[in-house]
Amino acid sequence: MNPADEILDIVDEHDRVVDRVPRGEAYARGLRHRCVFVQARDAAGRLFVHRRTATKLVFPSLYDLFVGGVVGAGESYDEAALREAEEELGVTGLPRPRPLFRFLYDDGAGHSWWSAVYEVRCEMPVRPQAEEVEWYGFLTDDEVARRLDEWEWVPDGLAAYERLGEFRSAG
């Protein structure tokens, strides 16, 4: 199926479903929907980082600190987190990602979605989807910190990463 044809739940400012439309229409009209962000680490604790392909509908060719994506119509955040993590990492049998928090991402320019942030440990070899991932690597936290100002990151992932840092330092 063409990703633009996938049906999404459209939600209000309180994350209540108010409509269902195809993804392409949701993006074109700037309708608020749901997304998941899964921070994946390997057995050594290094963070999975990747560059999105040029064919992605949103934020093509930018680097990302999370695997994840949109939550399909009628799908729970938890179901979407596991599905998206396994798809993007190219694995099966991944442990269920652990939910951390949710926030409303809104860039003021038509990109707005409820965002559920998760974490997961992936101790098996990864085979990222070629349609989704142009490049990937497992980086230490220090390597990620050095690249934050060097690489162009997806803005929603960067917002989730910053909020995750605040979440961890508060807990």
Side-chain angles (χ1 to χ4, degrees), residues 45-169:
R46 296 174 303 174
L47 182 61
F48 180 84
V49 175
H50 67 281
R51 185 171 185 200
R52 297 162 60 90
T53 59
T55 56
K56 295 292 285 182
L57 290 175
V58 175
F59 310 133
S61 299
L62 299 185
Y63 288 91
D64 203 342
L65 297 150
F66 297 89
V67 294
V70 297
V71 177
E75 187 177 35
S76 73
Y77 283 109
D78 289 352
E79 291 166 336
L82 180 59
R83 176 184 53 77
E84 286 284 352
E86 286 189 334
E87 283 177 7
E88 286 194 29
L89 294 170
V91 301
T92 56
L94 192 66
R96 186 163 290 283
R98 185 169 77 92
L100 301 174
F101 61 91
R102 292 184 193 171
F103 72 99
L104 177 59
Y105 174 79
D106 191 334
D107 70 358
H111 294 115
S112 177
W113 37 84
W114 272 100
S115 307
V117 179
Y118 292 77
E119 66 183 359
V120 72
R121 183 76 55 154
C122 181
E123 298 185 354
M124 57 192 88
V126 298
R127 295 172 304 284
Q129 278 185 321
E131 310 82 42
E132 305 256 345
V133 177
E134 180 178 296
W135 169 91
Y136 74 92
F138 282 96
L139 306 180
T140 66
D141 289 330
D142 287 344
E143 289 170 323
V144 169
R146 283 196 302 275
R147 287 171 172 81
L148 286 177
D149 293 329
E150 296 173 7
W151 292 353
E152 191 174 0
W153 300 92
V154 294
D156 61 343
L158 199 54
Y161 183 77
E162 290 166 355
R163 286 175 187 256
L164 181 54
E166 294 166 6
F167 173 82
R168 288 198 169 123
S169 61

Side-chain angles (χ1 to χ4, degrees), residues 1 5-11 17 19-23 33-34 70-77 79-80 83:
M1 170 177 34
D5 296 333
E6 179 182 7
I7 303 299
L8 304 182
D9 285 332
I10 303 306
V11 296
V17 176
D19 200 1
R20 284 189 170 163
V21 302
R23 183 196 299 209
H33 52 284
R34 293 173 171 159
V70 297
V71 177
E75 187 177 35
S76 73
Y77 283 109
E79 291 166 336
R83 176 184 53 77

